[in-house]
Amino acid sequence: THFGYETVTESEKQQRVAGVFSSVAESYDKMNDLMSLGVHRLWKDYFVSSLNPGATNPIGRPQQILDVAGGTGDIAFRMLQRAHNLNGNPNVHVTISDINPSMLAVGRQRSLALPASHQSSLSFLEANAEVLPPSIKDNSLDLYTVAFGIRNFSNIPAALREAHRVLKPGGVFACLEFSKVDKFPLLNAVYKQWSFSAIPLIGQLVAADRDSYQYLVESIERFPSQEEFRDMIVDAGFAVAGEGYEDLTGGIAAIHRGIKP
Ligand code: SAM
C-alpha cells in the first residue's frame, strides 16, 4: 500500500497518524466496540489484571505508572480501579500520555465520571512516545504500559529505548497490541476477511471515515510478528521471561512484557 514503511518518511507517517486519531477521537470508543465485537474490553481487562497494579509488598507502596498512547483512558482507568479498589492501594499514580490532544480531551472528559480519589491519582500529558519530555525522569517509573498504540509509532526502537530509560531497574514494560494469527489458518482467514471488508465499511457507515479505518487495518498487517517484536524489546535492553509474549484470541492480540534489569 502507499502507506508502507518503504515509501513514507517518519514525519509523513506522524502526520498521517495525527490525522487519523484527530478524526476518530469522538467516535473512537464506540468504534472499538463495533470493530472488535466488544472483545477489546476483555483483552484490556485481562492485560490490566495480569499486571495487577497496586499489588505491592508491603501493601500501599507508591507506584508511578505511565500509560503511553493512552488515548481516551481505557487502560489507565482500569489500572486505577484495580489498584485503588481491588488492591487497596491509593498511592498508585497513573499518567496518561498521548501525542494527540483530541484523544486526550476525550479521555479528560471521560475521567470526570471517575471517583474523586481516582481523578486525583491521574494526570494527562501530551507527549510523543519517541521523545518523552524531561518531566518524565530517567529510572522513575514502576510500570510503562502501551495498548494498541505502538504499531502507530514512526520509530518503534526509539520508543522502546525511551521506555527503558524512564523505567526503574526492576520496572515493567507491558504492551497490548494486535498481532499475527499465523498459528491458526482458519481463524486467520475469517479474521482477515473481517478486517479488510467489515472494518473499513463500519468506519464508513458509523464514523463516515473509511480511510482512517482502512489505515488502521493496514497498520495491523504491517506490524511485526510476536517473535520479531519480542526481539526488538530485547534489543532495547529488556529481559523477558519464557517466550516473552502471550497470545490472546489465537494471536489477534498479544501481550509482550519486559523487565528492565
Ligand atoms: N491505549 C488506548 C486504548 O487502548 O484504547 C488508545 C489506543 S489508540 C488505537 C492509539 C493512540 O496512539 C492514539 O491515541 C494516538 O494518538 C496515539 N499515538 C500515535 N502515535 C503516537 C506517538 N508517537 N506517541 C504517543 N502516542 C501516539
Side-chain angles (χ1 to χ4, degrees):
T1 78
H2 57 300
F3 290 117
Y5 286 128
E6 338 53 76
T7 52
V8 287
T9 65
E10 277 189 21
S11 78
E12 278 169 337
K13 182 176 178 194
Q14 237 160 46
Q15 280 169 19
R16 171 77 192 166
V17 169
V20 167
F21 286 105
S22 299
S23 60
V24 304
E26 292 299 328
S27 57
Y28 177 77
D29 295 311
K30 184 172 52 175
M31 285 298 295
N32 266 349
D33 278 332
L34 282 171
M35 291 184 308
S36 77
L37 306 173
V39 175
H40 77 108
R41 292 170 183 261
L42 306 179
W43 292 334
K44 287 169 177 171
D45 287 345
Y46 180 75
F47 180 59
V48 169
S49 66
S50 75
L51 296 169
N52 208 7
T56 59
N57 185 10
I59 294 168
R61 250 190 49 205
Q63 271 186 339
Q64 285 298 331
I65 303 178
L66 180 66
D67 183 34
V68 170
T72 61
D74 271 5
I75 301 299
F77 299 168
R78 281 171 170 77
M79 291 198 288
L80 283 173
Q81 153 79 20
R82 180 133 191 135
H84 289 216
N85 298 9
L86 199 85
N87 290 325
N89 188 341
N91 302 316
V92 170
H93 185 276
V94 183
T95 300
I96 300 184
S97 75
D98 200 286
I99 201 170
N100 192 305
S102 314
M103 292 290 282
L104 284 175
V106 176
R108 209 184 278 275
Q109 186 62 39
R110 284 177 77 201
S111 76
L112 300 176
L114 299 176
S117 63
H118 294 200
Q119 289 187 44
S120 58
S121 301
L122 190 61
S123 19
F124 293 86
L125 175 71
E126 192 179 322
N128 181 351
E130 293 151 29
V131 218
L132 292 172
S135 60
I136 315 268
K137 304 261 184 280
D138 294 6
N139 305 307
S140 64
L141 301 176
D142 298 281
L143 175 60
Y144 173 117
T145 53
V146 57
F148 304 115
I150 207 162
R151 75 174 189 284
N152 299 295
F153 298 174
S154 312
N155 187 340
I156 296 172
L160 291 172
R161 284 195 298 274
E162 278 292 79
H164 187 271
R165 180 178 69 75
V166 297
L167 279 164
K168 294 175 184 168
V172 173
F173 165 86
C175 174
L176 172 62
E177 187 53 271
F178 290 110
S179 204
K180 305 289 176 210
V181 194
D182 298 343
K183 294 151 200 145
F184 302 97
L186 191 64
L187 175 64
N188 199 28
V190 175
Y191 170 61
K192 285 279 143 65
Q193 192 64 37
W194 173 258
S195 315
F196 282 93
S197 342
I199 291 182
L201 184 65
I202 296 174
Q204 184 179 342
L205 297 178
V206 179
D209 188 354
R210 186 181 182 92
D211 286 355
S212 290
Y213 287 93
Q214 180 74 33
Y215 165 81
L216 291 181
V217 171
E218 290 172 10
S219 70
I220 294 172
E221 192 68 12
R222 280 194 305 270
F223 191 68
S225 71
Q226 285 85 332
E227 292 77 15
E228 288 165 337
F229 183 46
R230 185 258 332 271
D231 293 348
M232 293 169 78
I233 292 168
V234 170
D235 285 345
F238 290 101
V240 300
E243 291 182 306
Y245 68 87
E246 186 180 350
D247 282 341
L248 306 181
T249 320
I252 294 181
I255 294 173
H256 282 76
R257 274 189 219 97
I259 296 185
K260 177 169 172 178

